[in-house]
């Protein structure tokens, strides 16, 4: 078992060798992975899609209640989700990590175990990155590289005025999971003898701590010969992401409150917190579901797919961005999701 000062003894290159010793490449496009100054990739005839995302301790996660393996998994998944939102498939991942003196080799290995589990599940090669020290805690920055056929890329722009607005999965669960974790942490800080009460919240806690990217939706749409007209992943909240689609496509929208898919555990927990479930669904963020628009011509193909919910339709830009409540009243949508620079 590694001790707390092993990282200092190993040094940067020793740590890298330890973390990457068993990595094997599986994608034909990976020519050279870890162990050189740069990865070498071959994407002849393909469109290359690249994204990067950073998770910082104290801003994006709290290590008091976030298992390190889950954190590594999530760090990879949030990047995979961005690639899938372009209608592409992830092939490679690079990881840069900055750790403070409080981290042992065993702790960093746990993070990498989560990273590698995500890569194995999604068929991704971990091909390199960087490690350095930090004075303020832990930061993980991942860069994901994907590919797709020419003509298959889906952007945020491209939707038409009558296109259907669709979401995968359900909304608001990750946000409510976070509320439970923060509540239990607050109680513990007031009285350390109090044990956290997490039973009965399994679904929403997993949605917060170990989310999943929706490769299955991208594969499903391809199998049905359905190409979205625009798409984005829901990391900052449904309302914010829908605003992005509207802005990019120069369109308005109308969604229906009663159509938003909300898990029963999300509703129950929202009631406990005296919070309207609709607010969690619209503004919570970190669901990592896919929000996309489809031509009306594709409605029959997806109509009976339980993984996809039609929640509204796009409008001409001058008609605004609205949510129709169950009372029949239209209310203007506001982008009130996550803002990482507001903390």
């Amino acid at each position: 078992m590694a001790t707390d000062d092993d990282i200092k003894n190993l040094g940067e290159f020793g740590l890298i060798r330890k973390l990457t010793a068993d990595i094997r490449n599986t994608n034909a496009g990976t020519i050279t992975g870890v162990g050189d100054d740069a990865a070498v990739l071959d994407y002849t005839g393909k469109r290359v899609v690249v994204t990067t995302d950073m998770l910082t301790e104290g801003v994006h996660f709290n290590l008091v209640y976030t298992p390190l393996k889950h954190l590594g998994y999530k760090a990879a998944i949030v990047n995979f989700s961005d690639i899938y939102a372009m209608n592409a498939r992830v092939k490679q991942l690079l990881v840069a990590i900055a750790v403070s003196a409080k981290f042992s080799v065993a702790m960093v290995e746990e993070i990498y175990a989560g990273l590698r589990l995500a890569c194995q599940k999604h068929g991704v090669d971990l091909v390199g990155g960087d490690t350095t020290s930090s004075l303020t805690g832990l930061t993980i920055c991942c860069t994901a590289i994907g590919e797709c056929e020419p003509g298959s890329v889906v952007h945020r722009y491209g939707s038409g005025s009558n296109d259907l607005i669709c979401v995968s999965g359900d909304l608001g669960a990750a946000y409510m999971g976070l509320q439970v974790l923060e509540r239990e942490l607050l109680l513990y800080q007031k009285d350390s003898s109090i044990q956290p009460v997490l039973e009965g919240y399994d679904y929403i806690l997993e949605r917060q701590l170990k989310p999943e990217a929706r490769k299955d939706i991208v594969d499903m749409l391809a199998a049905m010969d359905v190409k979205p007209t625009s798409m984005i992943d829901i990391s900052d909240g449904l309302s914010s992401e829908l605003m992005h689609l509207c802005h990019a496509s120069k369109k308005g929208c109308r969604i229906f409150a009663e159509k938003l898919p909300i898990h029963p555990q999300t509703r129950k927990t929202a009631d406990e917190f005296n919070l309207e479930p609709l607010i969690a669904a619209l503004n919570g963020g970190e669901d990592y579901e896919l929000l996309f628009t489809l031509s009306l011509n594709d409605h029959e193909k997806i109509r009976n797919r339980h993984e996809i919910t039609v929640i509204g339709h796009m409008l001409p830009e001058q008609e605004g961005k609205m949510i129709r409540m169950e009372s029949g009243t239209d209310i203007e949508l506001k982008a009130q999701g996550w803002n990482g620079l507001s903390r």
Side-chain angles (χ1 to χ4, degrees):
M1 177 63 69
T3 60
D4 288 342
D5 61 354
D6 274 352
I7 288 181
K8 183 185 296 184
N9 295 334
L10 276 174
E12 178 184 358
F13 300 117
L15 178 61
I16 291 171
R17 285 192 292 271
K18 185 174 185 64
L19 295 174
T20 61
D22 297 328
I23 289 177
R24 300 291 181 268
N25 299 326
T26 60
N27 287 296
T30 305
I31 306 304
T32 302
V34 295
D36 216 316
D37 285 339
V40 179
L41 313 176
D42 181 3
Y43 281 89
T44 303
K46 301 284 188 179
R47 293 291 182 264
V48 180
V49 182
V50 182
T51 187
T52 189
D53 227 313
M54 183 181 297
L55 299 181
T56 302
E57 185 178 355
V59 177
H60 301 97
F61 59 89
N62 188 328
L63 288 178
V64 173
Y65 53 68
T66 305
L68 291 172
K69 188 173 182 180
H70 285 48
L71 178 60
Y73 191 90
K74 184 174 182 176
I77 287 299
V78 300
N79 283 271
F80 296 173
S81 185
D82 282 335
I83 298 293
Y84 297 142
M86 301 294 293
N87 203 37
R89 273 63 170 186
V90 196
K91 296 299 180 180
Q92 287 88 17
L93 183 74
L94 295 101
V95 179
I97 183 169
V99 293
S100 66
K102 70 181 181 182
F103 287 86
S104 66
V105 171
M107 294 169 73
V108 181
E109 286 181 307
E110 273 294 285
I111 296 170
Y112 263 75
L115 286 162
R116 293 173 65 175
L117 179 62
C119 287
Q120 290 165 7
K121 183 170 183 177
H122 287 260
V124 176
D125 293 336
L126 203 167
V127 297
D130 190 23
T131 59
T132 189
S133 60
S134 167
L135 298 177
T136 56
L138 172 65
T139 296
I140 306 174
C141 183
C142 295
T143 298
I145 303 167
E147 68 171 22
C148 65
E149 298 295 333
S152 295
V153 178
V154 175
H155 300 276
R156 293 182 181 184
Y157 63 83
S159 63
S161 294
N162 294 313
D163 284 359
L164 302 172
I165 301 171
C166 306
V167 294
S168 64
D170 58 82
L171 306 172
Y175 177 75
M176 292 316 307
L178 179 61
Q179 301 314 299
V180 170
L181 291 168
E182 289 288 339
R183 178 187 67 189
E184 297 305 311
L185 175 60
L186 183 61
L187 292 172
Y188 176 79
Q189 289 172 336
K190 291 180 178 179
D191 183 352
S192 60
S193 68
I194 296 177
Q195 294 299 306
V197 179
L198 302 177
E199 292 79 9
Y201 301 107
D202 298 38
Y203 179 75
I204 60 175
L205 291 177
E206 182 168 3
R207 293 279 281 172
Q208 168 58 219
L209 296 173
K210 189 175 176 286
E212 193 53 75
R214 300 308 303 263
K215 179 179 183 292
D216 59 318
I217 299 297
V218 176
D219 291 341
M220 177 197 305
L221 293 173
M224 295 188 295
D225 194 26
V226 172
K227 180 185 174 183
T229 53
S230 66
M231 186 154 57
I232 192 172
D233 79 323
I234 303 176
S235 56
D236 298 331
L238 175 64
S239 58
S240 293
E241 312 300 2
L242 190 52
M243 292 291 190
H244 288 314
L245 291 189
C246 289
H247 176 76
S249 294
K250 295 181 171 56
K251 294 292 183 292
C253 68
R254 177 178 288 111
I255 60 173
F256 297 83
E258 63 185 22
K259 297 292 186 181
L260 300 190
I262 303 175
H263 192 275
Q265 195 172 105
T266 302
R267 291 187 183 277
K268 181 176 183 294
T269 309
D271 289 341
E272 289 179 23
F273 281 81
N274 295 315
L275 178 68
E276 170 57 51
L278 180 63
I279 301 301
L282 286 173
N283 303 323
E286 292 199 292
D287 291 312
Y288 299 104
E289 296 293 346
L290 293 175
L291 168 67
F292 55 96
T293 57
L294 294 179
S295 166
L296 281 170
N297 295 331
D298 288 323
H299 183 236
E300 283 302 311
K301 295 180 181 179
I302 60 99
R303 186 167 61 89
N304 294 319
R305 302 306 307 227
H306 67 86
E307 306 93 334
I308 298 172
T309 305
V310 177
I311 63 171
H313 53 271
M314 302 298 277
L315 299 170
E317 188 173 26
Q318 63 271 20
E319 294 190 30
K321 305 169 187 67
M322 315 298 292
I323 177 168
R324 179 159 292 178
M325 308 305 290
E326 293 188 36
S327 64
T329 303
D330 281 346
I331 297 176
E332 184 180 2
L333 270 176
K334 301 289 185 182
Q336 299 178 24
W338 163 258
N339 180 354
L341 298 180
S342 66
R343 297 179 64 92

